[in-house]
Amino acid sequence: MSGGRFPVNGYNNSTNTWVQGWANDAACVSSTRGTQFWTGHHGTLYSKDKPHAMMKWVWNDAIKAWAESYKETSGTKVQYFIETAQNTANKISTVGVKGIWTGDYFEFVLPVEDFEAETTLQLSMPLYTRGGPTFWEVKYKDGEEWKSTAVNDLPAYDGATVTADATWAVPYLETSSNVDNMQTVDMLFSNAIKKGEIVIRVQCVDGSIISSAINTVATGKTGPTLNSAGTAAGASFYFYNPGNKSNQDITIDILNI
């Protein structure tokens, strides 16, 4: 049974109702996205098959503080924004984020009724980056408690000495890659929900560690990866699975029905 499906193919088609809350946000529209330093919730993606289920993007205040400091010291205002990305040849049609820092997160909100205790949900996301943050933690609200799925000392890639307490380590991939990068995690909910919401967060653990090349990370970054001009966040970070183009959806599934 599916708890929510967020299909990748068609994300960038503004006629689709499930993407309009993302594509029409001021932090996404090209004429307005560079007008301010964004914080809080910007961009809402709705589930295609469960319209009341949604995924939000939320910027922590830390990225605004970084951008303000960068402008003060360098004289340059750096744009960071949400976006849509399209590449027909590689079957990319998705939403993404340019400019991610520690504490920023995607949040899923899923309305439920008669949700039973001891239910396990599985979240799957095809996270793709070239120069974006490596480590991500999946957290979920169970009753009044936020629970973490992070493991201790997760390596940035097989054999890496750089580690973090995280759920996923997102690899650097080229669009031509054949690596299946679907990220998956299971979450056990101890509490029942008669009528309410399931809330899940996928949060950047440490923006100073980025996937900078294949099986390579860079550490000690003081802000998000920038474009060559130094005027805008430049790292690609969106939802794309180059190794399995038939499996591009973000899904939240109930495992133990």
Side-chain angles (χ1 to χ4, degrees), residues 106-215:
F106 299 97
E107 181 174 272
F108 294 89
V109 180
L110 306 159
V112 293
E113 292 186 25
D114 299 322
F115 183 83
E116 296 182 1
E118 306 306 314
T119 296
T120 298
L121 296 185
Q122 183 177 83
L123 169 64
S124 300
M125 299 178 78
L127 293 179
Y128 175 89
T129 192
R130 299 191 309 277
T134 303
F135 291 110
W136 292 78
E137 179 186 10
V138 179
K139 301 187 287 188
Y140 60 102
K141 196 169 186 181
D142 188 5
E144 296 302 313
E145 179 185 0
W146 279 99
K147 294 183 175 178
S148 174
T149 62
V151 299
N152 294 333
D153 299 323
L154 180 72
Y157 52 87
D158 288 344
T161 57
V162 177
T163 66
D165 294 348
T167 308
W168 298 327
V170 178
Y172 177 104
L173 295 176
E174 298 289 352
T175 53
S176 58
S177 169
N178 61 3
V179 173
D180 186 337
N181 68 322
M182 184 65 73
Q183 308 290 335
T184 301
V185 68
D186 294 349
M187 297 160 287
L188 174 63
F189 288 78
S190 300
N191 292 277
I193 304 174
K194 181 63 177 176
K195 184 175 183 179
E197 296 176 335
I198 290 168
V199 182
I200 302 167
R201 289 181 179 174
V202 181
Q203 189 163 26
C204 175
V205 171
D206 188 342
S208 73
I209 304 172
I210 66 166
S211 297
S212 55
I214 296 172
N215 287 339

Side-chain angles (χ1 to χ4, degrees), residues 7-173:
V8 167
N9 289 329
Y11 271 7
N12 196 20
N13 186 340
S14 60
T15 64
N16 294 333
T17 57
W18 63 86
V19 79
Q20 290 176 4
W22 190 285
N24 295 331
D25 192 281
C28 185
V29 177
S30 58
S31 61
T32 54
R33 67 188 187 188
T35 58
Q36 60 179 287
F37 296 137
W38 306 103
T39 60
H41 168 206
H42 283 280
T44 304
L45 187 70
Y46 292 93
S47 170
K48 183 179 181 181
D49 53 355
K50 297 184 182 298
H52 296 295
M54 66 184 74
M55 182 188 79
K56 306 173 181 179
W57 173 250
V58 179
W59 274 296
N60 188 284
D61 289 346
I63 195 168
K64 180 182 177 184
W66 164 81
E68 290 175 337
S69 176
Y70 187 89
K71 182 180 178 182
E72 183 176 345
T73 57
S74 70
T76 301
K77 178 183 179 181
V78 173
Q79 296 183 34
Y80 58 92
F81 48 90
I82 59 175
E83 65 173 353
T84 58
Q86 183 98 2
N87 184 304
T88 303
N90 290 302
K91 297 184 179 179
I92 300 171
S93 181
T94 183
V95 300
V97 182
K98 287 283 182 68
I100 300 172
W101 197 241
T102 307
D104 299 341
Y105 59 88
F106 299 97
E107 181 174 272
F108 294 89
V109 180
L110 306 159
V112 293
E113 292 186 25
D114 299 322
F115 183 83
E116 296 182 1
E118 306 306 314
T119 296
T120 298
L121 296 185
Q122 183 177 83
L123 169 64
S124 300
M125 299 178 78
L127 293 179
Y128 175 89
T129 192
R130 299 191 309 277
T134 303
F135 291 110
W136 292 78
E137 179 186 10
V138 179
K139 301 187 287 188
Y140 60 102
K141 196 169 186 181
D142 188 5
E144 296 302 313
E145 179 185 0
W146 279 99
K147 294 183 175 178
S148 174
T149 62
V151 299
N152 294 333
D153 299 323
L154 180 72
Y157 52 87
D158 288 344
T161 57
V162 177
T163 66
D165 294 348
T167 308
W168 298 327
V170 178
Y172 177 104
L173 295 176

